[in-house]
Amino acid sequence: MSGVVPTAPEQPAGEMENQTKPPDPRSDAPPEYNSHFVPGPPGTAVPSPAGYPGGLPMGYYSPQQPSTFPLYQPVGGTHPVQYQPGKYPVPNQPVPITWMPGPTPMANCPPGLEYLVQLDNIHVLQHFEPLEMMTRFETNNRYDIKNNSDQMVYIVTEDTDDFTRNAYRTLRPFILRVTDCMGREIMTMQRPFRCTCCCFCCPSARQELEVQCPPGITIGFVAEHWNLCRAVYSIQNEKKENVMRVRGPCSTYGCGSDSVFEVKSLDGVSNIGSIIRKWNGLLSAMADADHFDIHFPLDLDVKMKAMIFGACFLIDFMYFERSPPQRSR
């Protein structure tokens, strides 16, 4: 009996596996996948905006500056990303709109005109409207105002009802609203209706444009003067006192060349600036897609810069706004 070695009782195979294999502390963990993600340095924490405790919903952005907006292309999902018109790029726009950085408020400067203090020339680009050519229906004019760096400075939108636009065409009274990158209306330009049935040399038949900045506060007027050969305007202050003159070319319908409107002092000796309507080939001859270059001294009073800017639109409507041809009956 002493040579017999006692053995342990036999146990089922399942119980032996439980004893030899320790329990997995990550029994509920997801299966492992190969990942090419390389962790980077930790960034600064950005607080969630008000109203969205968990962050912004998909398809919306929280840009740090209002000057640029990133492009976003959806890569999956059943619901496409929707963009609010006028604020975010749509898929058919390859390049986002870049705005001129907003300047700080300045003393003795109407709010919104701080952009013009930094500029000595601007570009006025009218939107091309195919609907006008196809249907002969006059639509509201729209303009992009840019600097030399192709940055957006302002957006100008006409606010006129359909009947007035199509009944009076180029002679229509209008309101132009100038907005900045935040969508704030910083300037308003109004053209009253002037009857042209009477004698063309009568003061009541001469065109006029009132410029308000901010809206409701008049800073000046652009008044037409009768001249047999060329376009002549006076730029006036809020008291309707003449400050500068605008002298146009003898012919504003030249084909293949630019039309230059010179901004001069009252005595006509000093050249202050210019409003140049650029020739854009067939687009200038057949459609309303004008391009203006406005030049003025950098140290010119900012209100006078705004008045030269406003004179550009009165010139556009009077000489370069083409009404669609009417059908013959």
Side-chain angles (χ1 to χ4, degrees), residues 30-49:
E32 295 182 357
Y33 295 94
N34 293 328
S35 175
H36 298 285
F37 171 75
V38 179
T44 57
V46 179
S48 300

Side-chain angles (χ1 to χ4, degrees), residues 167-196:
Y168 297 97
R169 298 292 180 172
T170 59
L171 295 176
R172 64 184 181 264
F174 60 76
I175 297 178
L176 297 179
R177 305 190 185 277
V178 183
T179 55
D180 61 3
C181 64
M182 304 302 294
R184 299 172 300 183
E185 183 178 349
I186 57 99
M187 185 189 305
T188 302
M189 293 176 280
Q190 299 182 6
R191 176 197 187 187
F193 175 74
R194 293 296 174 88
C195 179
T196 57

Side-chain angles (χ1 to χ4, degrees), residues 95-304:
V95 179
I97 297 176
T98 302
W99 285 86
M100 181 178 175
T104 57
M106 302 179 182
N108 301 323
C109 179
L113 294 188
E114 296 90 353
Y115 295 93
L116 296 182
V117 175
Q118 310 175 50
L119 301 174
D120 59 359
N121 71 298
I122 53 178
H123 305 276
V124 179
L125 307 173
Q126 183 179 3
H127 287 215
F128 172 67
E129 300 292 348
L131 182 64
E132 293 185 0
M133 297 186 63
M134 294 185 296
T135 65
R136 297 182 172 90
F137 182 84
E138 189 75 23
T139 60
N140 278 320
N141 287 0
R142 296 179 299 163
Y143 305 84
D144 291 341
I145 315 303
K146 297 186 176 182
N147 59 15
N148 280 340
S149 301
D150 202 35
Q151 294 175 327
M152 193 81 75
V153 182
Y154 300 121
I155 292 179
V156 180
T157 308
E158 181 185 358
D159 187 3
T160 310
D161 61 89
D162 294 339
F163 173 79
T164 300
R165 287 196 314 272
N166 290 274
Y168 297 97
R169 298 292 180 172
T170 59
L171 295 176
R172 64 184 181 264
F174 60 76
I175 297 178
L176 297 179
R177 305 190 185 277
V178 183
T179 55
D180 61 3
C181 64
M182 304 302 294
R184 299 172 300 183
E185 183 178 349
I186 57 99
M187 185 189 305
T188 302
M189 293 176 280
Q190 299 182 6
R191 176 197 187 187
F193 175 74
R194 293 296 174 88
C195 179
T196 57
C197 298
C198 57
C199 179
F200 53 83
C201 61
C202 179
S204 62
R206 300 173 189 171
Q207 300 299 315
E208 185 181 76
L209 180 75
E210 179 183 357
V211 180
Q212 300 176 358
C213 184
I217 300 179
T218 302
I219 64 172
F221 298 86
V222 180
E224 179 192 18
H225 285 265
W226 179 81
N227 189 283
L228 185 61
C229 300
R230 63 180 72 240
V232 178
Y233 300 90
S234 287
I235 294 181
Q236 305 171 340
N237 58 17
E238 65 276 8
K239 300 178 181 179
K240 288 198 170 184
E241 299 172 344
N242 294 337
V243 180
M244 296 178 291
R245 289 189 178 273
V246 179
R247 186 173 180 268
C250 292
S251 175
T252 58
Y253 300 97
C255 181
S257 61
D258 299 342
S259 299
V260 181
F261 294 77
E262 299 176 343
V263 182
K264 293 179 171 291
S265 58
L266 291 179
D267 55 11
V269 176
S270 302
N271 291 326
I272 300 177
S274 61
I275 302 172
I276 304 175
R277 190 256 190 173
K278 308 294 289 184
W279 174 256
N280 289 332
L282 293 179
L283 197 62
S284 297
M286 301 178 60
D288 293 333
D290 295 318
H291 174 193
F292 290 89
D293 284 351
I294 303 177
H295 301 266
F296 34 62
L298 184 63
D299 57 351
L300 184 66
D301 179 56
V302 68
K303 291 184 180 180
M304 292 300 102

Side-chain angles (χ1 to χ4, degrees), residues 32-78:
E32 295 182 357
Y33 295 94
N34 293 328
S35 175
H36 298 285
F37 171 75
V38 179
T44 57
V46 179
S48 300
Y52 296 97
L56 291 175
M58 181 178 295
Y60 292 85
Y61 306 107
S62 177
Q64 301 297 325
Q65 297 180 355
S67 58
T68 56
F69 298 95
L71 285 176
Y72 177 81
Q73 297 293 340
V75 296
T78 58

